[in-house]
Amino acid sequence: MAASLEADRIAKAFGATLALRGASLHLQPGRVHALLGENGAGKSTLVKIIVGALAPDAGALRMAGRPVVFRSVREAMAAGIVPIHQHLSLFPHLSVLENLSAFALGCTRRAAASSALLPRAEAAARLETVGLHLDLDQPVAALSLGQRQLLEIARSVGRECRVLVLDEPTAALNHSEAARLFEVVRRLCAAGTAVLFISHRLDEIDAVADDVTVLRDGRAVIAGTPRSHLSREALVRAMLGTAVAAATRHLPEPGAPVLVAAGLRPGPGDAPADCVVRAGEVVGLAGLVGSGALELAAALAGARPAAGQLHVAGRRLPPGDRQQAVALGVGYVPGDRHAEGLFPVLSALQNASACSTRGLAPAGVLSPAREAARMLPWLRRMKLHPFLPAMKARTFSGGNQQKLLMARNLAIDGLRVLVVLEPTRGVDIAARETIHDAIADIARQGVAVVLATSDLDEAMALAHRVLVVRHGRIAAEILRGAARTNLLDALAGQAAA
Amino acid sequence: MTALALPLPVRSAWRRWRPGAAAWTTLGVFLLFAVLVPRFASSGNLVNVLRVAAILCVAACGQAIVLVLGGIEFSFGSSAALASVVGVLAVPWLGPAGGLAAGGAVVIAIGALNGALIAGFGLPPFVVTLGMLMAAAGAAASLVGGQPIDAPPSAAFAWPAAGSVATIPVPILLGAAAVTVLHALLSRSRLGRLWYLAGANPVAARLSGIAVGRVTFLGYLVAGAFCAVTAVVLTSRVGSGQPNLAPNLPFESIAACAIGGIPLAGGEGRAHQVVCGVLVIAMMNNAVVLLNFPIAAQQLVMAVVIIGAVLLQNAGSLPVMLRRALTRRPNA
């Protein structure tokens, strides 16, 4: 059978850097093909070439055996290649119905708006294909990230779709939403669509992939091998080039209480939460999307207004007051690094020092030498790569941007509490290790750590105990060393816990 | 479509080159005029160019701070006009120097009011400063019934525009001082760093414990102080209270920053870029006058230079720009 899409010996250089050196990828109809690789391996370049956003320097694209050339994303879409991006491309101020109709609108030559909107029944049917039940007139801005991702997929699969390109589609999804997505993917496959699936999560590769290609340094080191022929270790080894030990990190004995929350309610619908985090203790906060786990974590860091009382080392912290929080030594790594964390046009060094300007400029005068002397060790410790502190933050990979946010908070004077949200979302394995090491290290130095994550392995590997949040209340506490299934049951609300 | 992501070496090379881009443009424009425009390169004319550039430069320094904050400041023009009217009206009570100071204080107060409305109520800078542009113009016109009023002739009143220290004209000294202060603020002060942080991502700045509101307020206040200096020099130069003193000041100061390569998106901008942009505008204005171009042609030339400069900075180079325009459909 002819492949749906063949990318044959693709090469692409950016200046002196060879991003792709003859990588090939063959997508078969009705199969899910996983594309793996570390940040910088050439994954995104290859995907951009396939979806028409970049032109290759050498090599050929063929669809059903016939050579094709895409000069734009639009041309690739017309040929049936549908990209779903990591960064959502919905229109937040328009309604669900208008968003669902957006492609129809783009394809019609008629200006009359009445012909541009999908019939409501058809729109509802499309939502049904991804298991969404939404008010069609609701603005997209009111939806959760997970719902938006599913809506984006619903919008795209409504089209003539021969190759579906999913770039980290589950980064913002919870388990049930991800499971629903995989169902949709299988249904499309059964109809003969080829799916290209890019993810950092090996669990998901296990769950959906039929074939696997692994890129390293711009080449395919595993090229279209059936998933069943490969062990997890083989995949990781292929990505990293060396075997990595799965680290079990030593955590210290917790000391005196540092962060004390009493009756903390991040939102009007939430139950008052009481919790104590001790010096050197790592407390995980886990919950499905929309459970309120991330909101509770943000409130604990003073990053979000909330009812109730917060005390840090015995001193009152007014909820929502980040200035006071930083002064008391409360660090906060937000979950959405682009919207809430990064200063994209400022340098890596300036990003790292953002919380420390007072200490760096005692009389209001900033000394670049002092700034470099204080901040560079943190960037080195976080293994910033490439180590170019003067380069703008937006030019770094996602993993390295996340390292900048970690460095910024680790550098806070008198750090007592570190609240970290989704620290390794969309981050490659090496950066994940570095970030986990840093979290364990800072706990060993006596900092109280709150780790809110939807990555269960991360929660189980790093936390003394995991608080499970369901419907805005702390519903269960799972201690370190408990079976993973206990945590899963608690998250889903199945066990009495 | 997804943004065209350039790889690191290309970007870093581009970044190294870009600070020079403004300087090369300025040098290129200078050489072009020196060759093509008679009398342009004479020392007397160049001092005149510098004198005009310096007055605009001080206000553009203030504009740069607002742009770094991700805002925009339109009220400069009519706040300078109001300053000249108030300054001249105050001379009988406060004397020439006191009158000019009162005029300057008006501009600073307008900057503070802008800052309070933008930072305190979260209003869009575009609307607030545009509203203030109209309000100050209205106030200036109604104070003097729409007609200019002359200041009593005095050496002190004329000194900021016509005086000199050690043979260097005062406006040029003020321009140089403004650039020095701006450079110190932006690269060596905590406040300047906080402006960059608040401009680059206000949400991240708040979550990093920065008092974004206070920082924004101070930005507009300091910008007002820069503009106050320009207003005093302009008032001194015309020797009268003019309700229509400098209608183009906000646009020329924004244009100067844009030509120098400061993006309007916030978080970026340095003092040398302001200098380059201001020099280009001053040289253009001077050259079209020397060439006896009609006023309409002057404005056309200015438009081409501003848009052309920003186009070049965004596209990197003409070949890249043309290739992109030719190979991609606009909505691809």
PDB file of all heavy atoms in Angstrom, chain B residues 77-89:
ATOM      1  N   GLY B  77       2.546  66.803  22.540  1.00  0.00           N
ATOM      2  CA  GLY B  77       2.412  68.006  21.725  1.00  0.00           C
ATOM      3  C   GLY B  77       1.634  69.090  22.428  1.00  0.00           C
ATOM      4  O   GLY B  77       2.124  70.216  22.617  1.00  0.00           O
ATOM      5  N   SER B  78       0.416  68.757  22.862  1.00  0.00           N
ATOM      6  CA  SER B  78      -0.388  69.828  23.435  1.00  0.00           C
ATOM      7  C   SER B  78       0.012  70.114  24.878  1.00  0.00           C
ATOM      8  O   SER B  78      -0.265  71.199  25.380  1.00  0.00           O
ATOM      9  CB  SER B  78      -1.869  69.501  23.331  1.00  0.00           C
ATOM     10  OG  SER B  78      -2.163  68.350  24.057  1.00  0.00           O
ATOM     11  N   SER B  79       0.690  69.176  25.545  1.00  0.00           N
ATOM     12  CA  SER B  79       1.144  69.538  26.893  1.00  0.00           C
ATOM     13  C   SER B  79       2.283  70.556  26.796  1.00  0.00           C
ATOM     14  O   SER B  79       2.404  71.440  27.636  1.00  0.00           O
ATOM     15  CB  SER B  79       1.534  68.305  27.714  1.00  0.00           C
ATOM     16  OG  SER B  79       2.605  67.631  27.150  1.00  0.00           O
ATOM     17  N   ALA B  80       3.095  70.464  25.714  1.00  0.00           N
ATOM     18  CA  ALA B  80       4.116  71.498  25.496  1.00  0.00           C
ATOM     19  C   ALA B  80       3.440  72.840  25.197  1.00  0.00           C
ATOM     20  O   ALA B  80       3.875  73.892  25.678  1.00  0.00           O
ATOM     21  CB  ALA B  80       5.045  71.094  24.353  1.00  0.00           C
ATOM     22  N   ALA B  81       2.356  72.803  24.413  1.00  0.00           N
ATOM     23  CA  ALA B  81       1.632  74.042  24.095  1.00  0.00           C
ATOM     24  C   ALA B  81       1.050  74.663  25.364  1.00  0.00           C
ATOM     25  O   ALA B  81       1.163  75.875  25.598  1.00  0.00           O
ATOM     26  CB  ALA B  81       0.523  73.742  23.086  1.00  0.00           C
ATOM     27  N   LEU B  82       0.443  73.816  26.203  1.00  0.00           N
ATOM     28  CA  LEU B  82      -0.118  74.320  27.461  1.00  0.00           C
ATOM     29  C   LEU B  82       0.990  74.891  28.342  1.00  0.00           C
ATOM     30  O   LEU B  82       0.813  75.935  28.995  1.00  0.00           O
ATOM     31  CB  LEU B  82      -0.863  73.187  28.192  1.00  0.00           C
ATOM     32  CG  LEU B  82      -1.558  73.565  29.499  1.00  0.00           C
ATOM     33  CD1 LEU B  82      -2.603  74.640  29.268  1.00  0.00           C
ATOM     34  CD2 LEU B  82      -2.212  72.335  30.128  1.00  0.00           C
ATOM     35  N   ALA B  83       2.147  74.222  28.321  1.00  0.00           N
ATOM     36  CA  ALA B  83       3.281  74.716  29.116  1.00  0.00           C
ATOM     37  C   ALA B  83       3.690  76.109  28.663  1.00  0.00           C
ATOM     38  O   ALA B  83       3.970  76.982  29.493  1.00  0.00           O
ATOM     39  CB  ALA B  83       4.462  73.748  28.990  1.00  0.00           C
ATOM     40  N   SER B  84       3.709  76.341  27.341  1.00  0.00           N
ATOM     41  CA  SER B  84       4.152  77.659  26.856  1.00  0.00           C
ATOM     42  C   SER B  84       3.142  78.732  27.281  1.00  0.00           C
ATOM     43  O   SER B  84       3.524  79.819  27.704  1.00  0.00           O
ATOM     44  CB  SER B  84       4.339  77.631  25.339  1.00  0.00           C
ATOM     45  OG  SER B  84       3.089  77.685  24.674  1.00  0.00           O
ATOM     46  N   VAL B  85       1.841  78.402  27.193  1.00  0.00           N
ATOM     47  CA  VAL B  85       0.816  79.374  27.571  1.00  0.00           C
ATOM     48  C   VAL B  85       0.899  79.674  29.070  1.00  0.00           C
ATOM     49  O   VAL B  85       0.938  80.839  29.495  1.00  0.00           O
ATOM     50  CB  VAL B  85      -0.577  78.839  27.178  1.00  0.00           C
ATOM     51  CG1 VAL B  85      -1.657  79.697  27.797  1.00  0.00           C
ATOM     52  CG2 VAL B  85      -0.712  78.783  25.665  1.00  0.00           C
ATOM     53  N   VAL B  86       0.944  78.604  29.881  1.00  0.00           N
ATOM     54  CA  VAL B  86       1.018  78.789  31.335  1.00  0.00           C
ATOM     55  C   VAL B  86       2.292  79.531  31.709  1.00  0.00           C
ATOM     56  O   VAL B  86       2.285  80.447  32.543  1.00  0.00           O
ATOM     57  CB  VAL B  86       0.945  77.422  32.064  1.00  0.00           C
ATOM     58  CG1 VAL B  86       1.273  77.584  33.542  1.00  0.00           C
ATOM     59  CG2 VAL B  86      -0.440  76.807  31.887  1.00  0.00           C
ATOM     60  N   GLY B  87       3.404  79.141  31.054  1.00  0.00           N
ATOM     61  CA  GLY B  87       4.689  79.771  31.360  1.00  0.00           C
ATOM     62  C   GLY B  87       4.648  81.267  31.111  1.00  0.00           C
ATOM     63  O   GLY B  87       5.061  82.063  31.970  1.00  0.00           O
ATOM     64  N   VAL B  88       4.132  81.675  29.959  1.00  0.00           N
ATOM     65  CA  VAL B  88       4.090  83.097  29.627  1.00  0.00           C
ATOM     66  C   VAL B  88       3.127  83.841  30.565  1.00  0.00           C
ATOM     67  O   VAL B  88       3.420  84.940  31.052  1.00  0.00           O
ATOM     68  CB  VAL B  88       3.693  83.296  28.151  1.00  0.00           C
ATOM     69  CG1 VAL B  88       3.403  84.765  27.864  1.00  0.00           C
ATOM     70  CG2 VAL B  88       4.810  82.792  27.243  1.00  0.00           C
ATOM     71  N   LEU B  89       1.977  83.210  30.856  1.00  0.00           N
ATOM     72  CA  LEU B  89       1.022  83.869  31.757  1.00  0.00           C
ATOM     73  C   LEU B  89       1.598  84.036  33.161  1.00  0.00           C
ATOM     74  O   LEU B  89       1.231  84.960  33.888  1.00  0.00           O
ATOM     75  CB  LEU B  89      -0.275  83.048  31.827  1.00  0.00           C
ATOM     76  CG  LEU B  89      -1.177  83.084  30.576  1.00  0.00           C
ATOM     77  CD1 LEU B  89      -2.362  82.161  30.758  1.00  0.00           C
ATOM     78  CD2 LEU B  89      -1.630  84.502  30.266  1.00  0.00           C
TER      79      LEU B  89
END
